[in-house]
Amino acid sequence: MNLANKTVLITGANRGIGRALVDEALRRGAKRVYAGTRTALQHADERVTPLTLDVTSASQIQRAVEEVEQLDVLINNAGVAIYDDLSNSVAIEQHLAVNVVGPLKVTRAFLPLLRRSKGAIVNNLSLAALAPLPVIPAYSISKAAAFSMTQSLRALLAGQGVTVHAVFLGPIDTDMNRGLEIPKASPESAALGIFNGLEKGEEDIFPDPASQPMAEGWRTGVAKELERQFTAFVPKERGEAAANLESRP
Ligand SMILES: NC(=O)c1ccc[n+]([C@@H]2O[C@H](COP(=O)([O-])OP(=O)(O)OC[C@H]3O[C@@H](n4cnc5c(N)ncnc54)[C@H](OP(=O)(O)O)[C@@H]3O)[C@@H](O)[C@H]2O)c1
């Protein structure tokens, strides 16, 4: 999907990759960029509309939906990563709330608009969704779960004209991995890679130098083949299943 004249909503838009995605969407000619943030945001470009949006808050999600008239692309970018060793249940629950349940609720809330525009959902995942990074196991669990959610949404919404994209990010130079001395790509180049993948229609996007070498092996591998085979189990009346997604608590 080409971003020119499109309306885009990005969660976690105040810093890191989210902030870079806002600027890259503007550069590509987006008509309106809704910047979802937990704290007030100011942006010089008048095409940016700030939205107060904590993805774990049902009331903020509801209010955000009421402020958006039209939407072509939803980017579920907001996320947390906390170092743990799986001994802390609170850390696991927090990752699941922000990285999995939040994006699912946001997606369901904006689905009517996305269905109307035949739009796209982009979920910012991680290479840790494919194999756990054992120094952040709770984060890895949440990203693997968010990937599974992405695959199911993709299958359920295929008949509705809404595309669902997984982004497998490698290390990007943001607050999230500050202090980790490994090669990292810039958030600006990651944003570029994400939108390039979306414009090429890639359902699985590998946007940076660490992730790109995985792309070919992933796309021709057994796990991807199994995803395609399992998609065939979605009933022909997909409309019915997908139509119910947003109407249940
Ligand atoms: N950086 C990497 O190396 C890397 C690698 C793989 C995947 N990713 C993924 O890329 C996405 C962006 O990461 P980043 O590196 O840009 O991280 P970041 O710089 O730490 O920014 C995280 C963003 O998420 C927001 N956020 C956190 N909890 C939220 C909530 N409950 N509701 C709404 N927004 C919330 C933060 O808002 P506040 O400012 O209010 O906290 C911030 O805008 C994440 O999903 C992350 O998992 C990053």
Side-chain angles (χ1 to χ4, degrees):
M1 177 188 288
N2 189 304
L3 281 210
N5 266 323
K6 295 292 195 305
T7 302
V8 186
L9 192 162
I10 300 160
T11 65
N14 54 310
R15 57 192 172 100
I17 299 164
R19 176 65 195 225
L21 284 166
V22 170
D23 291 333
E24 185 57 26
L26 293 170
R27 210 181 60 76
R28 291 179 187 230
K31 180 168 69 182
R32 171 100 3 238
V33 179
Y34 289 99
T37 63
R38 294 195 291 182
T39 48
L41 174 95
Q42 291 192 327
H43 198 287
D45 196 306
E46 61 177 23
R47 289 173 293 161
V48 176
T49 302
L51 278 184
T52 302
L53 184 52
D54 183 322
V55 300
T56 63
S57 163
S59 59
Q60 288 188 13
I61 293 173
Q62 185 51 40
R63 231 171 296 139
V65 169
E66 287 161 13
E67 287 179 47
V68 176
E69 280 177 21
Q70 183 197 336
L71 189 64
D72 296 296
V73 183
L74 167 66
I75 305 186
N76 286 308
N77 166 76
V80 286
I82 306 157
Y83 283 85
D84 76 318
D85 57 6
L86 292 184
S87 61
N88 179 356
S89 302
V90 175
I92 300 169
E93 283 161 16
Q94 195 182 347
H95 280 96
L96 292 175
V98 180
N99 296 353
V100 187
V101 180
L104 180 57
K105 288 187 173 171
V106 170
T107 298
R108 284 168 35 166
F110 284 98
L111 208 45
L113 292 180
L114 292 165
R115 197 180 282 124
R116 199 181 306 155
S117 65
K118 302 230 176 297
I121 299 161
V122 178
N123 290 340
N124 275 357
L125 308 175
S126 161
L127 288 178
L130 299 179
L133 204 55
V135 288
I136 42 172
Y139 174 80
S140 302
I141 289 170
S142 72
K143 289 296 182 180
F147 176 35
S148 181
M149 173 186 83
T150 303
Q151 292 172 300
S152 287
L153 284 171
R154 178 182 288 159
L156 289 168
L157 298 176
Q160 307 274 304
V162 178
T163 60
V164 185
H165 307 260
V167 180
F168 297 102
L169 288 146
I172 312 297
D173 193 7
T174 69
D175 295 337
M176 189 168 274
N177 56 24
R178 198 71 68 218
L180 198 64
E181 296 310 323
I182 52 168
K184 300 172 208 170
S186 69
E188 292 75 22
S189 69
L192 209 78
I194 291 168
F195 284 132
N196 283 347
L198 181 63
E199 292 199 353
K200 280 190 242 158
E202 294 172 353
E203 56 183 28
D204 297 320
I205 299 171
F206 294 80
D208 56 82
S211 64
Q212 274 149 12
M214 319 279 168
E216 188 55 25
W218 169 255
R219 289 178 184 138
T220 54
V222 287
K224 190 68 197 175
E225 176 53 28
L226 209 52
E227 179 189 334
R228 292 190 191 102
Q229 288 180 19
F230 284 173
T231 296
F233 285 97
V234 176
K236 286 282 175 281
E237 333 66 62
R238 284 175 185 163
E240 215 173 289
N244 288 332
L245 271 181
E246 69 270 26
S247 60
R248 294 189 186 150

